[in-house]
């Protein structure tokens, strides 16, 4: 039983406890005859007085939600219908109006992907690293910088990649960008004059397709399966400018590109004088074993490597990086110079200090454990609410998972029913560039930013919608 008590709330502690238990009964999370914690234990767990718990229990008993059995504890009453109700009530709304310091409770549980657990950002360590970097930077740090970025950060990234990914590159090949979005946009712009095609994985992120399309390049989707890009389907297409791929954790399906396909992909790129753009967007968060080896290792002359710190630390730090083959460095620097001169420099110094001090790897180690627990909790909740009727796709990694629901079609009416439950999920068909048929029963569930209680609530609501008959 998940209970969240906010001692700064305008609502009384008793009312918060009463509301949460009542709604967990009404939405089915607390089942008939389920035993509630003893009043002393619950009071101790929540850090509130026992009299507050007794008052909440007694009110719920009086209204018929609970049954108090002397000597055997308090249990949920039977005969209560499970209702599709929002957790945001008028009482919750009044909290926001009554206190400027409190945010209103969010009713909608949004399983959006790519959103990190921002409250876990190591703010204290970051502040210390930022201060140390300011104490050490030369006077020249406050002038314009090379378009490639701050040299100390590029050297630090090269060392970090060598240490953690076994990836060997020269700092002169590393280009600092304002996040992976800018990195992809700059690479697409490099090939603008060539009017060539770009091959992309299908399905893939709609946002990156729009970035490439803005450079007037012709997009061609290449299907993927549970092992990533299907390289046997590359041959019929015209020579592309580059091929966009996420080989370490295909987005969104989660497959890992095996060595046989990696070699075929490189051979295709060499034969067609094309580059491979490797988006390594979340390789740090692999929960079974070490991060997958990069495509770059196999062919540094053909692979453009794209990495980001926004998915590791916080989107507020708009820093990413490219590793470029030598022929692309000069034209890239010219393009970057007339794009924004250089990426903001003081944060680059701070990030270099943060990585060198061990802060980044410590944070990654911590977040891997948290995200792995959230992932397992999501699977456990699916098993509780929808047992033996779903399948998890992809490998245990990243900030999201793809779930296949047997016999379910995520069409418009079903999505509307899910939305009515105040849940947001994302059908894989939304990510498909071409044929959508194979993915009509699959949805993407991002979990990294959600609390354990929110995951429980969201999955309960989702399963309620799945079991509702069509109107």
């Amino acid at each position: 039983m998940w209970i969240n008590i906010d001692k700064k709330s305008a609502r009384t502690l008793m009312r918060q406890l009463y509301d949460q238990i009542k709604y967990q009964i009404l939405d089915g999370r607390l089942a008939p005859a389920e035993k509630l914690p003893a009043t002393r234990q619950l009071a101790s767990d929540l850090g509130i007085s026992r009299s507050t718990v007794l008052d909440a229990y007694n009110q719920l008993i009086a209204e018929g939600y609970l049954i108090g059995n002397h000597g055997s504890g308090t249990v949920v009453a039977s005969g209560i219908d499970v209702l599709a109700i929002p957790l945001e009530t008028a009482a919750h709304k009044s909290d926001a109006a009554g206190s400027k310091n409190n945010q209103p409770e969010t009713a909608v549980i949004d399983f959006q992907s790519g959103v990190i657990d921002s409250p876990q950002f190591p703010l204290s360590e970051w502040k210390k690293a930022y201060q140390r970097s300011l104490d050490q930077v030369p006077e020249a740090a406050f002038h314009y910088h090379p378009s490639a970025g701050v040299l100390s950060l590029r050297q630090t990234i090269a060392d970090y990649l060598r240490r953690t990914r076994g990836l060997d590159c020269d700092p002169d090949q590393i280009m600092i960008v304002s996040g992976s979005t800018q990195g992809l946009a700059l690479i697409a712009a490099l090939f603008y004059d060539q009017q060539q095609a770009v091959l992309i994985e299908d399905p893939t992120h709609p946002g990156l397709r729009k970035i490439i399309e803005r450079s007037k390049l012709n997009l061609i989707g290449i299907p993927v399966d549970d092992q990533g890009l299907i390289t046997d389907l590359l041959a019929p297409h015209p020579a592309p400018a580059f091929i966009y791929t996420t080989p370490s954790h295909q987005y969104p399906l989660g497959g890992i590109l095996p060595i046989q396909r990696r070699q075929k992909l490189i051979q295709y790129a060499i034969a067609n004088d094309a580059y491979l753009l490797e988006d390594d967007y979340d390789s740090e968060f692999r929960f079974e074993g070490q991060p997958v080896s990069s495509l770059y290792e196999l062919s540094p002359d053909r692979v453009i490597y794209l990495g980001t710190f926004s998915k590791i630390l916080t989107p507020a730090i708009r820093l990413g990086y490219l590793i470029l083959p030598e022929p692309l460095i000069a034209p890239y620097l010219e393009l970057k110079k007339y794009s924004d001169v250089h990426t903001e420099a003081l944060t680059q110094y701070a990030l270099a200090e943060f990585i060198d001090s061990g802060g980044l790897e410590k944070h990654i180690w911590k977040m891997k454990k948290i995200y792995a627990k959230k992932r397992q909790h999501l699977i456990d909740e699916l098993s509780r609410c929808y047992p033996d009727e779903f399948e998890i796709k992809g490998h245990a990694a990243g900030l999201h998972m793809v779930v296949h629901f047997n016999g379910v079609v995520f069409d418009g009416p079903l999505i509307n029913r899910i939305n009515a439950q105040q849940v947001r999920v994302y059908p894989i068909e939304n990510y498909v560039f071409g044929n959508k048929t194979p993915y009509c029963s699959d949805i993407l569930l991002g979990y990294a930013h959600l609390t354990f209680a929110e995951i429980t609530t969201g999955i309960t609501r989702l399963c309620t919608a799945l079991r509702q008959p069509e109107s």
Side-chain angles (χ1 to χ4, degrees):
M1 182 173 70
W2 291 94
I3 299 292
N4 295 306
I5 295 296
D6 181 1
K7 295 183 178 180
K8 296 181 180 180
S9 172
R11 284 186 300 141
T12 65
L13 300 179
M14 177 272 182
R15 190 69 197 187
Q16 291 182 57
L17 182 57
Y18 161 86
D19 281 344
Q20 292 185 57
I21 294 174
K22 179 173 73 173
Y23 287 122
Q24 289 189 42
I25 294 171
L26 289 174
D27 69 14
R29 281 177 287 164
L30 288 175
E34 185 169 343
K35 188 175 182 180
L36 270 64
T39 55
R40 293 183 192 278
Q41 182 62 50
L42 185 57
S44 174
D45 291 345
L46 297 177
I48 59 179
S49 70
R50 185 187 176 217
S51 63
T52 298
V53 180
L54 281 168
D55 287 345
Y57 275 21
N58 288 335
Q59 182 67 27
L60 291 162
I61 290 170
E63 295 181 13
Y65 291 99
L66 300 178
I67 298 174
N69 296 315
H70 184 70
S72 59
T74 304
V75 299
V76 177
S78 60
I80 301 173
D81 293 334
V82 174
L83 304 176
I85 58 170
L87 292 184
E88 183 179 38
T89 66
H92 291 131
K93 293 179 181 177
S94 68
D95 283 354
S99 174
K100 294 182 180 179
N101 295 323
N102 293 326
Q103 297 296 322
E105 294 186 23
T106 302
V108 175
I109 306 297
D110 192 339
F111 287 98
Q112 181 180 357
S113 69
V115 184
I116 66 170
D117 191 347
S118 294
Q120 299 293 340
F121 177 71
L123 182 59
S124 177
E125 290 80 1
W126 176 259
K127 287 164 64 177
K128 293 174 183 177
Y130 207 107
Q131 185 60 57
R132 289 196 303 269
S133 69
L134 289 178
D135 291 341
Q136 299 167 9
V137 294
E139 189 274 337
F142 297 92
H143 296 278
Y144 289 105
H145 283 69
S147 296
V150 171
L151 179 58
S152 62
L153 177 58
R154 291 186 283 137
Q155 291 172 330
T156 293
I157 290 174
D159 292 340
Y160 167 75
L161 292 174
R162 188 176 300 111
R163 183 173 63 254
T164 63
R165 302 283 278 115
L167 194 156
D168 193 15
C169 67
D170 192 284
D172 289 339
Q173 296 177 263
I174 296 177
M175 307 292 144
I176 306 301
V177 292
S178 300
S180 57
T181 298
Q182 186 191 44
L184 177 58
L186 288 169
I187 293 302
L190 275 180
F191 296 94
Y192 172 77
D193 292 336
Q194 299 183 25
Q195 297 296 308
Q196 288 179 276
V198 172
L199 307 186
I200 63 171
E201 296 171 337
D202 188 12
T204 196
H205 198 295
L208 77 88
R209 296 204 303 264
K210 293 179 181 178
I211 293 170
I212 298 173
E213 287 173 338
R214 288 175 67 88
S215 292
K216 310 301 181 184
L217 294 167
N218 178 35
L219 291 179
I220 299 175
I222 306 298
V224 303
D225 59 17
D226 59 358
Q227 292 186 311
L229 187 73
I230 304 176
T231 49
D232 288 342
L233 301 179
L234 289 168
H237 298 287
F242 63 89
I243 303 164
Y244 175 90
T245 181
T246 51
S248 295
H249 189 228
Q250 198 280 326
Y251 188 91
L253 297 184
I256 296 175
L257 197 68
I259 182 61
Q260 295 85 353
R261 292 193 186 184
R262 291 176 183 235
Q263 291 174 337
K264 287 183 179 180
L265 188 56
I266 291 169
Q267 292 165 3
Y268 178 88
I270 294 172
N272 290 274
D273 193 24
Y275 288 99
L276 303 173
L277 177 52
E278 177 181 14
D279 188 347
D280 201 17
Y281 67 99
D282 69 355
S283 64
E284 288 84 1
F285 300 126
R286 185 164 185 261
F287 310 129
E288 298 173 349
Q290 297 299 310
V292 177
S293 298
S294 69
L295 189 64
Y296 178 89
E297 293 179 44
L298 299 177
S299 186
D301 294 336
R302 283 288 159 189
V303 177
I304 302 166
Y305 184 93
L306 176 60
T308 180
F309 295 101
S310 297
K311 293 290 190 294
I312 305 174
L313 290 170
T314 169
I317 297 177
R318 300 305 302 154
L319 289 179
Y321 57 95
L322 292 161
I323 304 176
L324 297 181
E326 194 280 331
L328 296 181
I329 293 176
Y332 166 84
L333 290 175
E334 184 76 4
L335 185 63
K336 174 70 170 172
K337 177 181 178 181
Y338 292 105
S339 171
D340 62 359
V341 184
H342 63 79
T343 298
E344 189 271 312
L346 293 182
T347 304
Q348 294 186 53
Y349 285 105
L351 180 58
E353 174 65 26
F354 184 72
I355 297 173
D356 287 338
S357 68
L360 180 66
E361 288 170 76
K362 178 182 177 182
H363 181 66
I364 291 171
W365 178 78
K366 168 188 170 183
M367 297 313 298
K368 280 181 66 174
K369 294 197 297 183
I370 292 175
Y371 291 152
K373 289 179 180 178
K374 288 187 178 184
R375 182 182 188 275
Q376 186 58 52
H377 183 65
L378 176 55
I379 295 172
D380 291 343
E381 289 303 299
L382 284 168
S383 298
R384 176 182 67 84
C385 292
Y386 216 71
D388 303 322
E389 298 181 68
F390 69 93
E391 173 190 352
I392 303 299
K393 291 191 172 183
H395 290 257
L399 311 179
H400 73 275
M401 69 171 64
V402 173
V403 185
H404 173 88
F405 288 86
N406 300 330
V408 175
V409 176
F410 288 95
D411 54 13
L414 177 54
I415 294 299
N416 289 338
R417 294 201 301 275
I418 294 171
N419 290 343
Q421 290 288 328
Q422 305 223 60
V423 178
R424 300 293 180 267
V425 299
Y426 298 85
I428 294 301
E429 288 198 345
N430 294 352
Y431 299 81
V432 176
F433 189 51
N435 183 16
K436 298 185 178 183
T437 304
Y439 305 107
C440 61
S441 299
D442 300 348
I443 57 171
L444 180 151
L445 297 175
Y447 54 80
H449 60 296
L450 299 175
T451 65
F452 289 92
E454 287 171 333
I455 291 171
T456 296
T457 300
I459 294 302
T460 299
R461 296 180 186 176
L462 170 62
C463 294
T464 297
L466 292 179
R467 297 192 186 284
Q468 283 178 343
E470 294 185 21
S471 57

